[in-house]
């Protein structure tokens, strides 16, 4: 007689009998463990996302922070330096006849040091040297005395009365190189006129 009987449990397995309380329960997935593993992965992913968002937000704030304005450029050298006439000075012993010396003070009001690279004057009948010789540098709040010595080379090309004499000075600092004309003032004009008159008088030797 043929037919299909009850399915026998395979090797290593046991049939579960609902009426037998000692019968083993069918195996089930460890749900609690899976939930714990999933929870850990989820928390790690959320933490990584939060850290990434924090760095991204910090980078954005750093990139969009208000920028400090750049410092103002230093002044042009002619705007930072003063030439002030002092008085007649002692003429060097080795100066040729017809020479005389005038003293000035050079000072830098503010900003970087200023280098005086050249000093000239406008009259064709005069030559000029300075002590210290050019180039020389002057720093802020540290004025220095310079002495210019003028030598009359041709009396016919110098004025008998210098009304507004000036000095052409080449200046340099970290911003620019400039040629600027300075008028040392009425006392300078007076002493220059007297010295020229004395150098070019009829009895001058």
């Amino acid at each position: 007689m043929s037919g299909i009987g009850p399915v026998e449990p395979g090797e290593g397995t046991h049939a579960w009998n609902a009426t037998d309380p000692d019968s083993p329960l069918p195996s089930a997935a460890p749900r609690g463990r899976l939930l714990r593993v999933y929870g850990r992965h989820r928390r790690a992913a959320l933490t990584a996302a939060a850290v990434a968002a924090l760095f991204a937000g910090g980078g954005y704030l750093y990139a969009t922070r208000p920028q400090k304005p750049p410092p103002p450029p230093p002044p042009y050298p002619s705007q930072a330096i003063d030439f002030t006439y002092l008085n007649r000075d002692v003429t060097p012993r080795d100066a040729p006849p017809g020479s005389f010396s005038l003293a000035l003070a050079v000072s830098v009001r503010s900003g970087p040091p200023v280098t005086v690279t050249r000093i000239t004057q406008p009259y064709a009948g005069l030559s000029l040297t300075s002590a210290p010789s050019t180039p020389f540098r002057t720093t802020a709040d540290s004025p220095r005395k310079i002495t210019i010595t003028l030598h009359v080379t041709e009396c016919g090309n110098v004025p008998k009365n210098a009304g507004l004499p000036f000095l052409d000075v080449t200046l340099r600092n970290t911003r620019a190189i400039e040629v600027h004309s300075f008028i040392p003032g009425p006392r300078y004009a007076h002493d220059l006129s007297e010295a020229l008159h004395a150098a070019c008088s009829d009895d001058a030797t």
Side-chain angles (χ1 to χ4, degrees), residues 42-59:
R42 187 169 183 274
R43 286 194 297 273
L46 290 175
T47 301
V51 171
L54 179 63
F55 276 103

Side-chain angles (χ1 to χ4, degrees), residues 121-127 152-160 196 200:
Q121 51 78 44
Y123 304 121
L126 288 175
S127 63
V152 178
T153 58
E154 190 177 346
C155 285
N157 287 329
V158 297
K160 296 301 186 289
L196 291 175
C200 292

